[in-house]
Amino acid sequence: MLDMKILAIETSCDDTSVAVIEDGYKVLSSIVSSQVDVHSEYGGVVPEIAARTHIKNMIPVLDNALNKAKVKVEDIDIVATTQGPGLIGSLIVGVNTAKTLAYLYDKPLVALQHIEGHIYANFLEKAVGEQPQFPLVCLTASGGHTNIIYMKSHLNYEVIGDTEDDAAGEAFDKVAKMLGLGYPGGPIISELAEKGDIMAFNFPLVDLTPKPKRNSEGFLETPEESLDFSFSGLKSAVLREVKVIERESKITDQQIWDICASFQETATEILARNLMRAVSKYNPKSILLSGGVASNKVLRTKVESKLKVFDRKVKLFFPKGEYCTDNAAMIGAVAYQYSIKNKFEDYKKLMPDPNLKLK
Ligand code: KG4
Ligand code: ZN
């Protein structure tokens, strides 16, 4: 169907977002009402406050998205929403809004997983010939997730790398909190890092690759390099340094900038290293970066420069800044693929699922 319009809703965490997407990639409108100001005084998202703020914001954001796209709900072909994972109180608002619209206006309903959205942010504003090609490998690094995903075709996901503890964005947020820099940490740390020295601190480049083992005949065997992540050790190493400094005297601005630079260098090197391991192993046509951390410039530059010395034909994609962090446009891009495959939900049965896995 040409000119297919999808009304997409995303409320899994602290952003109330509604978008209207045409033909799976044209963004007619993408409205994101950020709650950062509401949560920043607490140093992180407060679930109860997030849910209440979504309720307050949803109708104005919905009206705004429809007005900006110059459409009425009647003109919409499909309603789509994030079903999970996320904060249950937040998800309930988006899912119930989508169910209500689907029921009242008799529209087909699509529900999908949040990480799918982050991956498909890379398909937005690109005509079909310019979109990422399969097979692809995608690094999704956000406040809630850090995954490497292999896709042979649309909606076909294989999680080949995962975090054992914190997500990458969470590590940025926690380090920022330790340094008293506010929330969310990623953008603040990357800004202050520009004034710091990446060599000032030697934080651990945590690698979950097992140690070499001997086989039954006693020969040493090199284990396969791990694609998984762990950020809690890195976070603790930063905390230790902060404590050592503060035992002597108050931490200086220059020391804060140096910690930001050294931490960012280490965290992004870990992400880029594992992504390149996945590229070597899976030989994709496209590499995608996605999620809030994908807007980090050092990460982008690292991946670009590692690819230059890599003798393979592979194209790198990353979303525009506004589509890296949570937004509903990316949900509309996935929903388009769901509609092609006729994967619709019954509005009477659909429930939010805070632990929904990528299938
Ligand atoms: O994708 P997102 O909006 O929300 C989740 O699904 O979690 O990602 C938000 C996360 C936050 O942890 C934030 O600190 C991080 O992305 N982030 C960054 C940058 N911009 C946002 N991390 C590192 N560098 C950045 N420039
Ligand atoms: Zn997200």
Side-chain angles (χ1 to χ4, degrees):
M1 185 207 254
L2 261 187
D3 300 334
M4 183 202 269
K5 290 183 185 57
I6 297 181
L7 177 76
I9 300 173
E10 154 64 47
T11 61
S12 63
C13 190
D14 62 336
D15 292 308
T16 317
S17 177
V18 180
V20 180
I21 301 298
E22 193 171 79
D23 297 336
Y25 68 95
K26 290 178 216 156
V27 183
L28 302 190
S29 64
S30 171
I31 308 297
V32 180
S33 172
S34 166
Q35 300 182 8
V36 161
D37 293 346
V38 187
H39 298 282
S40 57
E41 67 176 291
Y42 304 98
V45 176
V46 184
E48 176 66 23
I49 297 176
R52 286 174 190 275
T53 315
H54 281 307
I55 294 172
K56 196 164 72 128
N57 291 348
M58 179 48 77
I59 300 297
V61 170
L62 176 62
D63 280 343
N64 203 347
L66 290 166
N67 290 339
K68 190 150 181 239
K70 299 191 177 64
V71 292
K72 298 197 182 75
V73 187
E74 289 85 344
D75 308 325
I76 295 290
D77 298 295
I78 288 165
V79 177
T81 182
T82 303
Q83 184 183 8
L87 302 170
I88 183 65
S90 294
L91 289 165
I92 286 172
V93 181
V95 169
N96 280 335
T97 307
K99 283 166 68 166
T100 308
L101 290 170
Y103 165 65
L104 285 178
Y105 293 89
D106 195 21
K107 304 288 178 192
L109 178 63
V110 169
L112 50 96
Q113 211 263 13
H114 181 75
I115 295 175
E116 295 183 88
H118 278 301
I119 300 170
Y120 275 85
N122 282 288
F123 289 74
L124 288 170
E125 295 183 350
K126 289 185 196 84
V128 177
E130 302 157 12
Q131 289 180 348
Q133 291 194 351
F134 298 100
L136 64 81
V137 162
C138 179
L139 171 70
T140 302
S142 69
H145 318 276
T146 306
N147 292 118
I148 302 179
I149 293 148
Y150 176 64
M151 291 177 70
K152 277 193 197 138
S153 58
H154 279 299
L155 307 185
N156 184 336
Y157 311 101
E158 190 186 335
V159 179
I160 57 173
D162 204 346
T163 177
E164 294 211 330
D165 38 59
D166 294 348
E170 196 180 351
F172 274 86
D173 295 337
K174 286 181 176 165
V175 166
K177 198 170 179 179
M178 278 172 216
L179 297 170
L181 299 177
Y183 173 85
I188 308 169
I189 287 185
S190 54
E191 197 189 322
L192 296 181
E194 285 176 22
K195 296 188 269 190
D197 176 4
I198 56 167
M199 312 265 271
F201 295 91
N202 239 336
F203 294 130
L205 265 179
V206 180
D207 187 349
L208 296 177
T209 303
K211 297 229 156 49
K213 269 202 311 221
R214 289 187 188 278
N215 66 15
S216 53
E217 280 133 55
F219 295 117
L220 270 176
E221 280 185 347
T222 310
E224 199 178 341
E225 290 178 317
S226 176
L227 303 180
D228 291 328
F229 302 94
S230 166
F231 287 102
S232 71
L234 172 58
K235 183 188 66 190
S236 310
V238 175
L239 184 61
R240 263 196 308 278
E241 287 293 351
V242 174
K243 283 194 170 150
V244 168
I245 294 168
E246 286 188 331
R247 220 175 286 146
E248 300 293 317
S249 57
K250 194 175 173 303
I251 192 162
T252 65
D253 283 349
Q254 187 61 53
Q255 283 170 320
I256 291 179
W257 302 337
D258 288 347
I259 289 177
C260 288
S262 305
F263 162 75
Q264 174 176 255
E265 174 65 15
T266 312
T268 54
E269 179 60 29
I270 292 170
L271 291 167
R273 177 200 64 202
N274 284 18
L275 176 61
M276 296 317 292
R277 285 178 180 173
V279 173
S280 297
K281 186 169 172 194
Y282 287 85
N283 205 10
K285 285 199 180 127
S286 313
I287 305 177
L288 279 52
L289 301 181
S290 69
V293 185
S295 48
N296 186 285
K297 290 202 187 75
V298 175
L299 175 66
R300 289 181 177 189
T301 314
K302 266 183 191 291
V303 175
E304 268 163 345
S305 65
K306 283 179 195 288
L307 270 176
K308 275 196 192 121
V309 290
F310 205 75
D311 185 25
R312 286 189 202 169
K313 249 193 155 177
V314 52
K315 194 162 175 222
L316 176 64
F317 292 83
F318 37 77
K320 255 167 81 174
E322 64 194 284
Y323 303 134
C324 283
T325 44
D326 287 349
N327 66 89
M330 65 187 195
I331 303 303
V334 189
Y336 180 73
Q337 300 300 331
Y338 270 61
S339 73
I340 290 173
K341 296 196 172 169
N342 270 313
K343 288 174 80 173
F344 295 108
E345 300 287 331
D346 178 346
Y347 72 83
K348 290 189 220 79
K349 295 194 184 136
L350 181 67
M351 297 293 280
D353 180 351
N355 302 311
L356 189 65
K357 297 267 179 297
L358 198 59
K359 286 192 274 290

